[in-house]
Amino acid sequence: MKTFKLYNGVEIPAIGYGTWRTRPAEVCEKAVYEAIEVGYTHIDGAAIYKNEESVGKAIQKSNIQRKNLFVTSKVWNDMRGYEKTKEAFYTSLEKLGLDYLDLYLIHWPNPLAFRDKMEEMNAETWRAMEDLYMEGKIKAIGVSNFKIHHLESLMKNARIKPMVNQIECTIGFIQQDVIDYCHQNDILVEGWSPLGNGKLFNSDILNDYAYKYNKSIAQITLRYLLQKKILPLPKSTNKERMKQNMDIFDFEISKEDMDAIDALKINISSGNDPDEVEF
Ligand code: A2P
């Protein structure tokens, strides 16, 4: 598996296996086990996915060496501030059965519960994450769903700049301003729902590109994101599709086609604006 390098030197496998909505427990455990079996070494999870115990069981069952695995979790909106963030971190660690995390993220920048004190709450949450990072409990720290103004606000108080920003990202919903800002600041961008949660598969235009490159729409989409230096986090509970989603390193989308795909108007975003979400 190819890797991206974070600005602190940590290497992160270039495709991650997403676990959002991978439930119930048996389905999740089997899927994560199979994902590791077919070669995924990067598992993206979060406390709110409510499946960290299953992810942990799959990791233990797989017998993969811990150092060969990259595991992410995220602090949920109701566990924010210095003490609660630390508590949430240790709860995730215990559920996963691990003694450190590779990456820990603030899941959303602006939860409804503290919309009037966003900067202060993010600063306190971040301070806890910085301390855990400096203690060696987390190899890298970052954020998720942050727009430019959230990042700027966080950086006013931060001792350590985020290493990652995980945002919704797929063909037709690219958030280029956020990506440019992150790249200018050495922050790696990860893309959640890179396949538009399955909604991209009806596109005739993408079907034409798939035919042209002798790949599937999923592979065209994931490759397109990688070529834009975005780390995709596809989800699948199907072993063949898991394999297919990793098999994207033997072809290159031309510059001309990248530009044409950039210009496609496909509206498939989830509609979750980080400043407006009702959670
Ligand atoms: P399945 O689990 O049956 O494979 P996203 O990662 O953007 O949220 O999209 C996830 C959705 O895309 C799931 O419904 C998943 O279904 C489907 N999916 C994942 N990989 C592929 C693929 N290679 N071909 C078709 N559908 C896929």
Side-chain angles (χ1 to χ4, degrees), residues 56-75:
K57 279 187 193 161
I59 291 172
Q60 264 91 63
K61 205 165 131 196
S62 76
N63 271 331
I64 187 167
Q65 282 189 30
R66 177 66 185 95
K67 68 177 172 55
N68 295 331
L69 202 59
F70 191 100
V71 183
T72 300
S73 185
K74 312 181 188 86
V75 56

Side-chain angles (χ1 to χ4, degrees), residues 205-230:
I205 303 177
L206 290 182
N207 213 21
D208 292 344
Y209 285 113
Y211 183 76
K212 174 172 175 182
Y213 287 95
N214 198 18
K215 289 282 174 184
S216 68
I217 289 183
Q219 290 169 317
I220 293 289
T221 308
L222 299 170
R223 178 75 206 184
Y224 162 82
L225 293 174
L226 270 189
Q227 286 184 215
K228 290 177 81 71
K229 299 195 171 25
I230 296 159

Side-chain angles (χ1 to χ4, degrees), residues 46-47 52 73-74 87-98 101 104:
E52 288 190 309
S73 185
K74 312 181 188 86
E87 190 188 327
F89 168 77
Y90 283 108
T91 302
S92 285
L93 213 54
E94 194 183 332
K95 287 189 173 169
L96 289 161
L98 301 176
L101 279 184
Y104 199 46

Side-chain angles (χ1 to χ4, degrees), residues 4-12 42 66 70-74 89 100-106 126 128-143 160-165 186-188 190:
F4 285 101
K5 197 179 255 188
L6 303 179
Y7 79 75
N8 66 343
V10 166
E11 303 233 11
I12 174 166
H42 173 179
R66 177 66 185 95
F70 191 100
V71 183
T72 300
S73 185
K74 312 181 188 86
F89 168 77
Y100 70 89
L101 279 184
D102 296 278
L103 179 63
Y104 199 46
L105 307 176
I106 299 183
W126 190 247
M129 289 168 58
E130 289 172 325
D131 285 353
L132 290 163
Y133 172 74
M134 287 188 283
E135 286 165 31
K137 292 282 175 195
I138 316 173
K139 303 292 178 202
I141 50 177
V143 296
I160 299 170
K161 201 170 61 168
M163 289 136 203
V164 168
N165 186 15
D186 258 344
I187 299 170
L188 177 75
E190 298 182 336

Side-chain angles (χ1 to χ4, degrees), residues 193-198 201 216 218 233-238 241 244-245:
S193 277
L195 305 173
N197 217 340
F201 301 124
S216 68
L233 302 166
K235 299 190 290 292
S236 179
T237 49
N238 175 291
R241 291 197 279 276
Q244 191 194 110
N245 294 347

